[in-house]
């Protein structure tokens, strides 16, 4: 089945230690999104890729970076995680033309010690 | 800027009964999409139902239906014959022509056996 896959599902890191979360998709969608979701809150968009074009949200901290080496994969890098970065990180994809709904992965729960 | 408001942080329904979740939004756009997403505890966010703004007919997916009132900017979700598996956080979301999703705050639905 076509899907959005996130690895790992659970990630524990230490304060200040860089961490990378990965997302892959078999839907062949050209738009990929990264969201941060804290407990009992709505997802907050960090950035998205339209093909190789990177689009950062204005309030996304510089601590968060992303890479998309090809259509199928997208990575979220947190350069120096703080305690406030502990959250669920969701990857989502969608087609761009026509624009459709977004399909979400299962998320990676990040714990910062 | 577009906004989405879910005024019910929590709702409860008896199994087999019907429940309606409310959502209002604000926009100056005429062409947009509305969605209801379901996020069970510790599980993946999935699409429940979608509505194109240009369609007057309310969307229906099995036990799930919407009441879309474009002039009032209201988009409520009705769940009929509620089941235990319907317990989840439900997010109303607006998607503009640009493709980004704007989420409401969420409504946590519990289903009582």
């Amino acid at each position: 089945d076509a899907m959005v896959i996130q690895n790992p599902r659970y990630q524990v890191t230490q304060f200040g230690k860089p961490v990378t979360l990965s997302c892959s998709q078999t839907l062949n969608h050209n738009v990929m999104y990264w969201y941060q979701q804290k407990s009992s809150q709505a997802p907050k968009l960090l950035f998205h890729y339209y093909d190789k074009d990177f689009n950062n949200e204005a309030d996304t901290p510089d601590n968060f970076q992303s890479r998309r080496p090809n259509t199928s994969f997208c990575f979220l890098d947190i350069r120096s995680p703080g305690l406030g970065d502990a959250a669920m990180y969701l990857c989502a994809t969608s087609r761009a033309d026509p624009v459709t709904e977004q399909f979400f992965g299962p998320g990676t729960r990040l714990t910062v010690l | 800027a577009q906004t989405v408001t879910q005024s019910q942080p929590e709702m409860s329904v008896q199994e087999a009964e019907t429940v309606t979740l409310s959502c209002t939004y604000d926009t100056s756009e005429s062409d947009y999409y509305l969605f209801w997403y379901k996020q069970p505890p510790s599980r993946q966010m999935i699409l429940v139902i979608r509505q194109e703004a240009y369609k007057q007919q309310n969307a229906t997916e099995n036990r799930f239906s919407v009441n879309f009132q474009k002039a009032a900017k209201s988009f409520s979700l009705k769940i009929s014959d509620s089941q235990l598996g319907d317990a989840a956080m439900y997010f109303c979301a607006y998607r503009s022509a640009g493709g980004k999703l704007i989420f409401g705050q969420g409504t946590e639905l519990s289903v009582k056996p």
Side-chain angles (χ1 to χ4, degrees), chain A residues 36-43 83-89:
Chain A
Q36 180 192 64
Q37 186 180 27
K38 296 194 175 180
S39 182
S40 300
Q41 295 183 19
L83 298 179
D85 297 328
M88 178 74 84
Y89 289 88

Side-chain angles (χ1 to χ4, degrees), chain B residues 16-66:
Chain B
E17 297 292 307
T18 296
V19 64
T20 299
L21 308 184
S22 301
C23 175
T24 58
Y25 60 95
D26 190 24
T27 184
S28 58
E29 297 178 331
S30 58
D31 184 21
Y32 53 87
Y33 290 74
L34 295 164
F35 306 93
W36 279 98
Y37 280 91
K38 169 186 177 182
Q39 189 176 36
S42 301
R43 294 183 64 187
Q44 196 160 346
M45 187 172 305
I46 59 172
L47 179 69
V48 174
I49 200 164
R50 61 182 275 178
Q51 174 81 42
E52 292 90 336
Y54 65 85
K55 290 187 177 179
Q56 292 186 340
Q57 187 172 9
N58 289 324
T60 299
E61 288 287 341
N62 300 314
R63 297 183 296 106
F64 298 87
S65 62
V66 298

Side-chain angles (χ1 to χ4, degrees), chain A residues 33-52:
Chain A
Y33 308 81
W34 278 105
Y35 291 87
Q36 180 192 64
Q37 186 180 27
K38 296 194 175 180
S39 182
S40 300
Q41 295 183 19
K44 177 181 180 296
L45 183 64
L46 296 173
F47 26 59
H48 73 279
Y49 275 94
Y50 186 133
D51 292 324
K52 286 190 174 292

